[in-house]
Amino acid sequence: MAITCNAQGKWSKIITVDQSGKKGSYVKIQDAIDAVPSNNVQHIFIRVEPGIYKEKIVVPEDKPFITLSGRNANTTVITWNDGGDIFKSPTVSVFASDFTGRYLTIQNTYGMTKKAVALRVTSEKAVFFACKITSYQDTLLDESGRHFYYNCFIEGGTDFIFGNAASLFKQCHLHSISQENGAITAQRRSSEEEKTGFYFVGCKITGVKSCTLGRPWGPYARVVFSQTYMSSAVLPQGWDDWGKPSIHRTAFYGEYKCYGPGARRTRRVEWSLSLSNHQASPYLTMSLMDGKTWVRA
């Protein structure tokens, strides 16, 4: 464990994990996280050397201010194989606030037969940069808190971004591997008063067959796609009401200046919205989650 100092106090400690045991203090990622003291107040950088780490990772609530970073998402892989329960199956679970994940692949290889979460984020504040998050059903449980995903690749077949956080996804690639009409999002906002939702800006949507943009896990589900490329995998109707016509009055499903063959709105469901510049402006920046006050460069 190295201790570093600079004028800004950017990193207080650096811990290196190396699967081979040659370069790091630890060979397992969980052991490095466990070494961070409870009620931590320092910025801890855990550097993960390239390798395939077959681990189930938990970042507990009492260990905030951790950055977990690989060098390249293609060469630094955290993988597990578990399914059936959205709370027990995640490969990586983040409960601590002020968490940052960078240059990592986080995957659940369980397959298509059961819910199998790759990443669960139940963190007051969390950021993910240039990560690959992959599974099939329920890939990313974006459960609660305020989160920022930048330049991430997120892949799944059904409800593969779901939960009730307030999250901004910027310049992310969403890839549907659904064989038939699987939803990308399942947002769970349950009341008009909640300040939650999923907001996608400058993203790209591709797919192997067909998909919808979202369906409502909660009656006041809120999802907005802005300036996003949509391939022909996105079905013309765009959105699915999950057999709950009552949500037509309460859900907020918006699109703003999207483009590509899947973005044509001529056959969209009538209860989705084509947003004006004024309507879309709150969903384009980190201000919707007060991100400027806590997202670190």
Side-chain angles (χ1 to χ4, degrees):
M1 181 182 293
I3 300 178
T4 64
C5 293
N6 59 26
Q8 293 76 34
K10 186 176 180 181
W11 304 117
S12 298
K13 293 182 180 179
I14 298 177
I15 304 171
T16 301
V17 179
D18 180 19
Q19 194 175 56
S20 70
K22 297 177 181 178
K23 297 180 181 179
S25 304
Y26 300 94
V27 296
K28 291 185 177 181
I29 298 169
Q30 188 64 58
D31 288 345
I33 293 169
D34 292 346
V36 176
S38 296
N39 304 311
N40 172 58
V41 295
Q42 297 178 311
H43 288 288
I44 308 295
F45 188 94
I46 300 177
R47 179 170 53 210
V48 184
E49 295 294 327
I52 298 175
Y53 294 82
K54 295 181 179 180
E55 297 187 56
K56 208 175 176 78
I57 304 296
V58 176
V59 184
E61 187 176 4
D62 66 347
K63 298 193 178 186
F65 305 111
I66 289 175
T67 291
L68 187 65
S69 180
R71 297 181 182 272
N72 184 304
N74 293 322
T75 59
T76 310
V77 180
I78 305 172
T79 184
W80 199 252
N81 182 343
D82 195 2
D85 187 288
I86 62 173
F87 303 116
K88 296 178 181 179
S89 65
T91 301
V92 174
S93 297
V94 179
F95 300 105
S97 187
D98 296 277
F99 175 87
T100 300
R102 310 190 318 165
Y103 310 119
L104 300 166
T105 288
I106 301 169
Q107 65 182 21
N108 190 325
T109 60
Y110 191 84
M112 302 169 58
T113 57
K114 290 183 179 180
K115 299 173 182 179
V117 176
L119 173 63
R120 177 186 180 186
V121 189
T122 308
S123 171
E124 182 185 348
K125 294 174 286 187
V127 178
F128 291 85
F129 289 108
C131 290
K132 296 176 70 174
I133 307 163
T134 67
S135 184
Y136 186 80
Q137 184 171 354
D138 300 339
T139 300
L140 170 58
L141 173 50
D142 197 49
E143 189 171 6
S144 62
R146 294 172 290 163
H147 310 145
F148 179 46
Y149 299 84
Y150 179 76
N151 193 29
C152 291
F153 176 85
I154 307 170
E155 178 182 273
T158 304
D159 304 335
F160 63 92
I161 302 173
F162 73 113
N164 196 27
S167 296
L168 176 64
F169 298 78
K170 189 172 183 180
Q171 296 178 25
C172 292
H173 182 176
L174 316 178
H175 184 63
S176 170
I177 53 175
S178 169
Q179 297 301 302
E180 186 178 10
N181 308 349
I184 294 172
T185 66
Q187 212 278 330
R188 201 179 190 179
R189 182 173 173 143
S190 60
S191 72
E192 193 171 3
E193 290 71 32
E194 287 185 295
K195 297 180 180 180
T196 61
F198 298 157
Y199 310 106
F200 300 86
V201 178
C203 294
K204 177 170 71 172
I205 298 172
T206 58
V208 297
K209 288 194 176 179
S210 61
C211 63
T212 59
L213 299 172
R215 59 181 184 170
W217 193 13
Y220 287 83
R222 176 163 293 196
V223 181
V224 177
F225 285 91
S226 300
Q227 301 163 340
T228 289
Y229 171 80
M230 299 183 182
S231 74
S232 58
V234 178
L235 289 166
Q237 65 265 30
W239 306 88
D240 177 8
D241 65 8
W242 215 336
K244 305 170 185 175
S246 61
I247 68 95
H248 297 182
R249 303 188 309 273
T250 56
F252 188 97
Y253 285 150
E255 297 170 58
Y256 173 70
K257 290 188 176 180
C258 295
Y259 60 101
R264 301 187 187 102
R265 288 197 49 83
T266 52
R267 293 169 58 189
R268 283 291 194 264
V269 293
E270 61 182 14
W271 39 274
S272 69
L273 303 171
S274 180
L275 303 180
S276 67
N277 292 344
H278 177 71
Q279 289 172 315
S281 61
Y283 309 115
L284 298 175
T285 70
M286 287 191 288
S287 61
L288 60 89
M289 46 191 251
D290 298 322
K292 290 184 178 180
T293 65
W294 58 270
V295 175
R296 305 175 74 216

